[in-house]
Amino acid sequence: MKSEDTPFEGGPMDGRVLPVLVGMTGHPPKTYRIPVPAPDGGPPTVLVYRRVPRDRGRVGMARWKYAYDPTGKKGARRKWPWSKPDSTPGGKPDDADG
């Protein structure tokens, strides 16, 4: 797999450049999650970085950078109408008499 040196901006990773695997399109993932272990052995804290366009710089430099997202919420996902659970008991549509 191919990787690209990608800069991180904001948060604890500010100023660091890490090699990030790129997909078939040559783009790194839209979100980059970094689990940080808790010192007391509790659940890890997850740092969330979002991919944003990078300023045009020298040729050959990464086209993307990651910006820190302090909220850490997942992005909006598409909700398909056919993926909704049935609202009627038994899973039959309301107009099915039968």
Side-chain angles (χ1 to χ4, degrees):
M1 297 220 63
K2 186 177 176 184
S3 65
E4 183 177 284
D5 288 340
T6 308
F8 285 75
E9 191 175 86
M13 299 291 289
D14 190 30
R16 295 190 186 183
V17 178
L18 297 176
V20 177
L21 292 176
V22 295
M24 291 175 49
T25 60
H27 299 295
K30 290 183 181 180
T31 57
Y32 195 86
R33 299 177 192 285
I34 304 170
V36 178
D40 60 355
T45 302
V46 179
L47 304 175
V48 178
Y49 284 83
R50 305 247 181 244
R51 182 183 77 187
V52 294
R54 186 175 178 192
D55 296 335
R56 296 281 179 188
R58 297 184 331 200
V59 175
M61 295 296 288
R63 295 176 293 179
W64 302 99
K65 65 182 176 183
Y66 282 106
Y68 181 61
D69 181 5
T71 62
K73 294 181 181 177
K74 290 188 176 186
R77 293 200 172 252
R78 294 182 184 158
K79 298 197 179 186
W80 306 105
W82 56 83
S83 65
K84 291 182 183 176
D86 293 331
S87 60
T88 58
K92 292 184 180 181
D94 293 334
D95 62 345
D97 294 328

